[in-house]
Amino acid sequence: MKLATAILFLASSSVKGEATFEPGNFSDGNKIEHPNGGVLYLSNGLKAVAVGHSGEKVVLSDGTESDLPYHENCDGGAAFPTADGGTIYVSNSEIGSYPDELSGGVYALTFDGENQLTGYSQLLKNTAYNCHGGETPWGTWISCEEYRDYGRCWQVDPTGQKEPARTAITGQSMDGTSSGEHYGAWEAFAWDANDNKGYITNDDSPDKDVSSTYPDHVSQPYQGVIVRFSPDETALACLDAENDADKWCALESGTVDYLKITPSESGTGGTFEWVADKAEANPDLYAQTEGAHVENGVFTFSTIRDRFLMQLDLAAGTYTKSAVPFWSEPDNLRILNDVVYLCTDNDDVPGDALWRWDNVGASRMFYESGHSYPAGVDFAADNMIMYVSMYGDATYQITRTDGLSFADEPKSVKYEVDGGIADGKTHEEIADQVNAIKAASAVEEEDVAPAAEEEDAAPAAEPSTPAAAPDAAAPAASGAASNVAAGTLMGIITGTLML
């Protein structure tokens, strides 16, 4: 089936009906194969089409091809609504190096109000290793370079009508003369519309072997700090502009400070403050930060080295800390209706997944074999379409076969990991438990289908009771963080976890 035909099918077949979506249940054998041999195994009630294959021309809905081949190493991304009811999905290209291989950048897929793919173009050029980023309330994409000695964050117009521009959000000047210590391995950006401040995560760690990991950019000392950007009076005045295009200057001048956390005795939370002197920050306690999201005054981010989800109550100055329910690295994330959608990056080891994590437990939306890891997860404005890329391979549109939105309740949720039974487990202990499950499932492989049918017929188990009371120093939390506030770490509870 040609790509254009597949897109037409995706748009026309989404007729609302009885809920069929079952996160974590793979009994239908639902999958989509990529030309390179990679496979996405989708939860029951999901369907997917690839809208761009790296290295190949993009086939538009009218049958024509794009001028450019689809970009390589598609990483962070976001979906922006258009005036005609369509969507522009922007995607970073994490490739290239400074100063001579500036082959990264930002690209855009444009869909009209009927979900017809009408264009593919490059929005940002002459950058390198564009990793993740984030959106602004005035409709721009912030693309961050994960490059120790040269990394900047750029402001990009998804429509391509306005030229991209540097930002000052990590402390750099707009003309590039104030760089040095303000360069960094920048990851994700999130804006707090309540307080008009920006937050930038940093994928750096004190225990990295910098000489081997970054052989061509090692002049800057370890940083790894999360940065808060506060616009000055001139920049804040830009937010009063009538047109969104005139609000760009909100990111052109201001001050930066850095995150310092103080853990409580329980280790599941604590307090935090913002310090002006970077040397006073303690990024070793939140090393290698990745995905970022701000909503309702809570700043959520993931950490790679110790594999935690952290949520900062920006007004209260307190935070909660939650061990992710798997041993692989948590990366890009989105939050929708208090559900955290979290991508894993297991360094090309098969089994990377997009997890759906709510206040009961976690289950996979999909997992992969032969693909690279998922990144750039986001939803269209009406939540009917999920966009996600498989790094190095392709970008997909994923929908529910029942025609309902991802904000609607699923038919059921098969929780592959649950709170309450593994309180205090380390990630290594979780990995050992998963390996035991994998060994057992290999022996029982012939019985998977009958077991799935039997399980579907059985009533859902009641969620386990949290093991401990919330940490007194931690803020009240919703969604996935409530597992931590209840003192529960995650444990494996089902043989369907085939990572």
Side-chain angles (χ1 to χ4, degrees):
M1 180 165 57
K2 285 190 174 181
L3 182 60
T5 306
I7 294 173
L8 284 169
F9 172 77
L10 182 67
S12 63
S13 63
S14 294
V15 179
K16 290 187 178 182
E18 185 178 349
T20 60
F21 175 40
E22 299 176 286
N25 189 347
F26 298 91
S27 62
D28 286 351
N30 192 13
K31 65 182 180 180
I32 180 171
E33 299 182 3
H34 186 268
N36 72 353
V39 181
L40 283 186
Y41 296 92
L42 302 161
S43 292
N44 293 355
L46 290 184
K47 59 185 175 183
V49 294
V51 289
H53 295 280
S54 294
E56 299 181 12
K57 296 289 185 71
V58 176
V59 180
L60 306 181
S61 294
D62 62 4
T64 62
E65 293 184 341
S66 62
D67 295 331
L68 298 171
Y70 202 63
H71 55 286
E72 298 182 62
N73 295 4
C74 29
D75 204 321
F80 292 84
T82 61
D84 65 354
T87 300
I88 298 175
Y89 180 73
V90 300
S91 175
N92 283 347
S93 179
E94 192 181 43
I95 197 170
S97 62
Y98 277 94
D100 301 321
E101 291 293 329
L102 304 182
S103 53
V106 178
Y107 296 78
L109 291 162
T110 301
F111 303 87
D112 65 18
E114 300 300 321
N115 196 39
Q116 304 299 298
L117 179 55
T118 60
Y120 172 70
S121 60
Q122 186 171 10
L123 302 175
L124 175 65
K125 301 178 180 179
N126 299 319
T127 59
Y129 232 64
N130 298 75
C131 189
H132 197 25
E135 307 99 309
T136 66
W138 50 94
T140 58
W141 169 247
I142 306 303
S143 179
C144 296
E145 297 172 290
E146 186 191 348
Y147 209 93
R148 225 170 190 268
D149 276 10
Y150 290 91
R152 305 172 175 88
C153 292
W154 301 81
Q155 188 163 201
V156 180
D157 177 9
T159 69
Q161 297 179 27
K162 187 170 181 175
E163 288 295 315
R166 296 173 185 263
T167 69
I169 61 177
T170 61
Q172 299 171 23
S173 61
M174 291 298 293
D175 61 8
T177 57
S178 175
S179 300
E181 64 173 331
H182 301 294
Y183 286 137
W186 307 118
E187 273 287 336
F189 166 87
W191 182 263
D192 180 13
N194 293 336
D195 202 26
N196 289 324
K197 287 180 170 53
Y199 299 87
I200 306 95
T201 57
N202 189 332
D203 183 9
D204 208 345
S205 173
D207 56 7
K208 276 187 176 179
D209 179 359
V210 176
S211 62
S212 62
T213 307
Y214 300 109
D216 54 348
H217 51 120
V218 297
S219 66
Q220 295 303 322
Y222 159 68
Q223 297 178 48
V225 291
I226 285 181
V227 173
R228 180 180 69 170
F229 171 74
S230 300
D232 59 21
E233 290 187 8
T234 300
L236 284 173
C238 297
L239 296 176
D240 295 327
E242 183 175 347
N243 298 317
D244 284 343
D246 296 326
K247 297 179 181 180
W248 284 45
C249 50
L251 303 184
E252 293 181 358
S253 58
T255 58
V256 297
D257 47 20
Y258 310 97
L259 178 63
K260 178 181 180 180
I261 68 173
T262 303
S264 62
E265 290 185 6
S266 71
T268 61
T271 61
F272 69 90
E273 60 184 308
W274 299 96
V275 295
D277 184 353
K278 187 185 297 183
E280 294 182 19
N282 51 2
D284 54 306
L285 297 184
Y286 54 84
Q288 290 187 264
T289 50
E290 287 276 353
H293 186 99
V294 173
E295 189 172 353
N296 299 324
V298 176
F299 171 34
T300 302
F301 61 90
S302 57
T303 73
I304 288 180
R305 191 187 68 179
D306 299 318
R307 290 160 289 181
F308 285 102
L309 189 77
M310 299 183 70
Q311 294 193 301
L312 278 58
D313 186 321
L314 297 172
T318 56
Y319 73 92
T320 57
K321 178 179 176 182
S322 173
V324 299
F326 37 76
W327 74 94
S328 52
E329 298 175 352
D331 203 302
N332 293 184
L333 63 86
R334 283 287 174 206
I335 298 178
L336 176 63
N337 291 351
D338 288 335
V339 176
V340 181
Y341 294 86
L342 190 56
C343 301
T344 71
D345 175 4
N346 208 27
D347 297 324
D348 293 321
V349 175
D352 272 317
L354 175 63
W355 287 84
R356 179 190 184 278
W357 191 7
D358 63 21
N359 63 345
V360 176
S363 55
R364 291 168 298 170
M365 301 284 285
F366 61 77
Y367 67 97
E368 61 80 27
S369 175
H371 259 306
S372 52
Y373 60 88
V377 60
D378 199 9
F379 300 92
D382 59 4
N383 299 316
M384 295 297 294
I385 298 175
M386 171 190 288
Y387 293 87
V388 67
S389 294
M390 298 305 292
Y391 185 91
D393 293 334
T395 294
Y396 290 91
Q397 285 185 326
I398 299 178
T399 57
R400 293 174 53 159
T401 58
D402 51 27
L404 300 175
S405 85
F406 286 100
D408 291 321
E409 290 295 318
K411 176 182 178 181
S412 63
V413 180
K414 186 174 183 179
Y415 288 103
E416 300 178 277
V417 291
D418 193 45
I421 66 168
D423 190 29
K425 266 192 171 62
T426 67
H427 287 96
E428 289 70 24
E429 289 169 329
I430 291 173
D432 289 342
Q433 195 167 355
V434 170
N435 287 333
I437 289 171
K438 288 166 63 178
S441 62
V443 174
E444 300 172 2
E445 186 174 358
E446 295 181 359
D447 298 326
V448 168
E453 294 173 1
E454 183 178 341
E455 185 174 59
D456 289 343
E462 291 295 324
S464 54
T465 303
D471 178 17
S478 60
S482 63
N483 285 343
V484 180
T488 59
L489 296 181
M490 300 299 163
I492 306 302
I493 62 167
T494 176
T496 63
L497 188 56
M498 298 176 290
L499 294 181

